[in-house]
Amino acid sequence: MFHRVMPVAPVRPQGGGRRRYCDREVLAAVPFVATSGCTWRQTLEVFGPSWSTVYRRFTEWSQARVRAKLHRLVLDELGARGDLDWSRCAIDSVNVRTLKGDLTGPNPVDRGKFGSKIHLITDRTGLPLSVGISGANLHDSQALEPLVRGIPPIRSRRGPRRGRPAKLYADKAHDNRHLRQWLRSRHITPRIARKGIESSERLGRHRWTIERTMSWFAGCRRLHRRYERKADHFLAFAGIAATLICYRRLAR
């Protein structure tokens, strides 16, 4: 499965040089960095390639959007088995502190300290379908449309591919008339808590699955605090965490 999304390895026109490490050897090192939270220089020698080789290959894969392609392949396998529940989805975000880099901003709920946000949409069982990042000062409502559009067309057990849930559950941060109309135009029933009218606890009976998925993301220690200056690298680690969560369900 992994080799289906790998970019073509460059070939030295003059020949010679050292043997290029296999992608599979590097693949074992990247999830280790993501889950352990260690620096690139702390990559264990048991994997084979040096830390600089792992980082350089990770940069190439981030530019080629390998994490998104691999995530989609795993979702296709889950959809073909019928493990994805499209009856309702949920959307939420989590804040991560950072020092500098792309897509950062002052966090209004953390004394204005710079940070980033990880935005996520999950299916009814909590499997991540779409992942995105932004600055911590971006309102959650502005990330809803890009996340919904980011859900890829996924294989189904029967019938054509599907990329649209029947319902979308969200908290009061997404209470916006325009968003409700936009979701209905895409034939998605909005289930958004209304400010001053409904309690978030009422919808929390259905949104607890995405809260659990956020706790699963905490297993990827590289996401506890953002160390990457490039937004592509941070998004790649978020995509790796989403792919690992889906792959664990696939490996059952």
Side-chain angles (χ1 to χ4, degrees):
M1 180 185 299
F2 179 71
H3 292 287
R4 294 164 56 185
V5 298
M6 280 297 97
V8 180
V11 179
R12 295 170 62 94
Q14 71 276 20
R18 298 182 59 181
R19 179 185 65 87
R20 177 182 171 90
Y21 276 100
C22 178
D23 290 335
R24 187 179 296 274
E25 297 174 317
V26 182
L27 174 64
V30 173
F32 171 79
V33 175
T35 55
S36 65
C38 68
T39 63
W40 291 106
R41 292 181 180 270
Q42 293 175 327
T43 305
L44 299 180
E45 297 180 359
V46 69
F47 293 110
S50 63
W51 71 268
S52 58
T53 300
V54 177
Y55 175 74
R56 184 167 55 252
R57 199 75 59 86
F58 173 78
T59 302
E60 296 174 2
W61 293 346
S62 300
Q63 295 175 351
R65 294 181 56 84
V66 172
R67 61 93 194 169
K69 298 175 183 177
L70 186 60
H71 184 206
R72 179 172 178 176
L73 283 180
V74 178
L75 288 176
D76 278 342
E77 294 295 331
L78 289 170
R81 290 186 359 176
D83 290 342
L84 294 179
D85 192 338
W86 294 95
S87 60
R88 63 170 180 254
C89 290
I91 183 173
D92 207 347
S93 65
V94 61
N95 293 297
V96 180
R97 281 191 181 183
T98 185
L99 296 178
K100 60 181 66 176
D102 304 330
L103 295 182
T104 60
N107 191 347
V109 298
D110 192 15
R111 298 172 292 176
K113 294 186 177 181
F114 270 73
S116 298
K117 273 185 181 180
I118 301 176
H119 303 271
L120 184 67
I121 287 184
T122 63
D123 75 334
R124 182 173 183 172
T125 61
L127 293 176
L129 302 176
S130 180
V131 183
I133 63 172
S134 69
N137 57 337
L138 183 76
H139 199 270
D140 287 352
S141 61
Q142 300 182 30
L144 187 144
E145 292 187 23
L147 275 182
V148 174
R149 290 195 182 100
I151 300 177
I154 303 171
R155 291 173 56 189
S156 300
R157 193 170 185 177
R158 299 182 182 88
R161 291 178 177 268
R162 183 168 183 177
R164 186 175 60 243
K167 302 177 183 178
L168 182 65
Y169 283 77
D171 55 16
K172 295 181 180 180
H174 303 84
D175 185 16
N176 186 292
R177 182 179 180 182
H178 167 72
L179 292 180
R180 296 176 187 273
Q181 294 177 348
W182 184 81
L183 289 173
R184 291 191 180 98
S185 68
R186 297 179 64 91
H187 306 287
I188 301 175
T189 304
R191 290 289 183 265
I192 304 174
R194 292 172 292 180
K195 299 177 182 178
I197 300 178
E198 295 176 330
S199 172
S200 298
E201 297 180 356
R202 180 179 179 183
L203 295 179
R205 295 177 299 176
H206 307 290
R207 294 184 64 254
W208 66 269
T209 54
I210 193 170
E211 301 291 345
R212 182 187 60 181
T213 304
M214 289 297 184
S215 67
W216 289 344
F217 265 69
C220 186
R221 295 182 179 274
R222 193 77 180 193
L223 300 178
H224 286 192
R225 186 182 182 93
R226 178 179 168 180
Y227 298 99
E228 289 71 34
R229 296 188 179 185
K230 296 182 179 180
D232 290 343
H233 291 186
F234 186 63
L235 180 60
F237 278 122
I240 289 173
T243 304
L244 290 176
I245 292 173
C246 294
Y247 183 76
R248 293 191 189 106
R249 180 69 61 85
L250 184 64
R252 287 184 178 179

